[in-house]
Amino acid sequence: MKILLTGGTGLIGRELIKHLTTHQLVLLTRSPSKAKSIVNHADMGNISYISSLDHLHDLNEFDAVINLAGEPIVDKRWSKKQKKEICNSRWELTEKLVDLIHASTNPPSVLISGSAVGYYGDQQEHPFDEDLHVHHEGFSHQVCSTWESIANRARSESTRVCILRTGIVLSSEGGALSKMLLPYKLGLGGPIGNGQQYMPWIHILDMVRGIVYLLETEHAHGEFNFCAPHPVTNEYFSKVLAKSLKRPHFLFTPKWVLKLAMGESAILLFDSIRAKPKKLTELGFKFSYSRLSPALKNLLQHHE
C-alpha cells in the first residue's frame, strides 16, 4: 500500500512506522529534515516526506490515509490560545484531508483518524463501550466530537472511515508513563485525588498493532475504543506501578494541587472513563497486553 501518514514523529507514529516497513509511506511533516532524523530507526527506504498538502489536488495516488497529527493536549495549560491550537491542529488538517479525498476520482480505500476517550467525559464507575453516545460541554468532548465529525465526512462507498478513540498510551519511549516514573522511583508516587477514577490504558504495541489491524481489515469502520479490555482505577494503577518499581506506595496527590498546577486540563486526570474495546475485540483483534501488570513489566524492562 501507499499510505499518507500525519503525526508520524509523535509517540504513536514513531512506533507505527516500525510496523509498516512493507508499505510505501509518505509522511506529512512541517520539518522533513527533523522528521528524517526522528524516524531514521525505521526507514527501510520506504519513507518519503512532504511539508504541505498544498501541492496535492487529490489523493488518487494513495491507498490509505492515517491521520494522527495534533497538538499535545496535556503539555500546556489550557489558555484560550492553547485551546485554539489544540482544536485547529486537529480540525483544519483533517478537513484538508477530507476535501482531498472528495476531490479524488480513485480515493484512498480507508481513512484512519485519531480521537480520544476524552470524547466520553466522566462516566464514573460505569463500564461502557462504543455504543455509548454522549453530548456535553466539556472541552475534551468538543475537541473529539468535532474532530470525528469532520473525519466521518470522508465516508463513502469507496472510502471507509475508522476513528481511534485512544486511551492512555503506555510506552517506554515517552508519553504519560515516562512522566510518572521519576516521582515513583523517588518513592513519591501515589494515587491522584481519591484514586477511584478509572484509567483506560493501552500498551503501545497493542495501539499500533490495532491500527495495522484496522488498515488490513476491509470491513472495519466506525468508532473504536483503543484501550485494553481491563481498565483499572488510578489507585490500582498506582499500586501496580509502585510494586513493579519496588517502591513504597503511601502518598497521594490532592486534587487541589493538580488544579493549581494544571488549571482546567487537570480534569483529564480526574474524569473516570471505564471504556471497553468491544468493537475491536468483536472484530477478532487479540491484545498482547490485556492486563496492566504484564504490560508495565514489559515496558519497564525496556525502559531500564
Side-chain angles (χ1 to χ4, degrees):
M1 283 189 186
K2 186 172 184 180
I3 302 169
L4 176 61
L5 174 63
T6 77
T9 60
L11 181 70
I12 298 169
R14 294 195 308 270
E15 187 66 26
L16 178 62
I17 287 169
K18 297 178 191 175
H19 293 254
L20 295 174
T21 53
T22 59
H23 300 281
Q24 187 181 353
L25 302 180
V26 177
L27 264 60
L28 175 66
T29 171
R30 281 176 290 195
S31 174
S33 58
K34 186 178 177 184
K36 282 178 187 177
S37 64
I38 292 172
V39 304
N40 188 51
H41 64 290
D43 191 346
M44 303 298 171
N46 64 318
I47 304 176
S48 57
Y49 304 83
I50 57 172
S51 59
S52 170
L53 294 173
D54 292 345
H55 70 284
L56 296 177
H57 303 294
D58 55 56
L59 298 181
N60 286 331
E61 65 179 293
F62 294 100
D63 302 298
V65 179
I66 302 176
N67 178 32
L68 304 176
E71 172 77 6
I73 200 162
V74 291
D75 279 13
K76 298 176 184 175
R77 290 174 74 95
W78 286 353
S79 62
K80 282 186 178 179
K81 181 182 177 183
Q82 183 62 11
K83 280 185 173 183
K84 189 175 180 182
E85 179 61 27
I86 287 168
C87 293
N88 290 348
S89 64
R90 289 161 172 77
W91 300 350
E92 290 181 0
L93 175 58
T94 306
E95 202 141 23
K96 284 182 183 177
L97 291 169
V98 171
D99 287 345
L100 286 168
I101 289 171
H102 285 163
S104 305
T105 53
N106 182 33
S109 62
V110 60
L111 167 64
I112 297 175
S113 192
S115 185
V117 292
Y119 167 87
Y120 298 107
D122 185 16
Q123 297 298 324
Q124 300 171 12
E125 77 279 6
H126 308 295
F128 61 89
D129 55 43
E130 295 89 349
D131 291 333
L132 179 68
H133 296 285
V134 298
H135 299 282
H136 60 84
E137 298 303 313
F139 177 63
S140 61
H141 173 78
Q142 298 298 324
V143 172
C144 295
S145 179
T146 303
W147 195 11
E148 292 182 13
S149 176
I150 294 168
N152 277 322
R153 290 179 204 154
R155 186 176 294 155
S156 70
E157 288 184 5
S158 303
T159 305
R160 59 190 173 91
V161 176
C162 296
I163 303 291
L164 313 174
R165 288 181 179 163
T166 305
I168 298 166
V169 180
L170 301 181
S171 168
S172 59
E173 302 294 322
L177 183 60
S178 293
K179 291 178 181 177
M180 294 177 198
L181 284 180
L182 181 59
Y184 277 85
K185 284 182 175 179
L186 294 173
L188 302 174
I192 295 169
N194 65 14
Q196 296 311 298
Q197 65 275 31
Y198 274 84
M199 295 173 60
W201 62 275
I202 186 169
H203 190 293
I204 184 70
L205 177 63
D206 285 324
M207 182 74 217
V208 299
R209 284 183 57 247
I211 294 173
V212 174
Y213 195 81
L214 294 183
L215 183 70
E216 296 175 347
T217 305
E218 293 180 3
H219 58 281
H221 65 90
E223 294 75 29
F224 293 86
N225 288 340
F226 262 62
C227 42
H230 302 287
V232 298
T233 63
N234 174 259
E235 182 180 29
Y236 182 85
F237 185 98
S238 181
K239 280 181 179 175
V240 173
L241 180 55
K243 185 178 179 182
S244 299
L245 292 166
K246 298 181 173 62
R247 293 295 189 272
H249 178 267
F250 58 88
L251 297 174
F252 75 99
T253 307
K255 204 169 182 176
W256 67 267
V257 171
L258 286 164
K259 282 188 172 178
L260 195 65
M262 298 174 65
E264 187 185 346
S265 66
I267 196 169
L268 296 174
L269 301 176
F270 299 114
D271 279 354
S272 183
I273 302 176
R274 199 175 178 181
K276 298 275 192 170
K278 180 186 174 187
K279 283 184 65 176
L280 202 52
T281 50
E282 285 184 347
L283 208 59
F285 180 76
K286 299 284 191 289
F287 283 82
S288 296
Y289 296 95
S290 60
R291 299 278 182 181
L292 180 64
S293 189
L296 285 177
K297 185 179 178 183
N298 169 263
L299 291 168
L300 293 173
Q301 279 175 344
H302 283 87
H303 191 270
E304 293 299 326

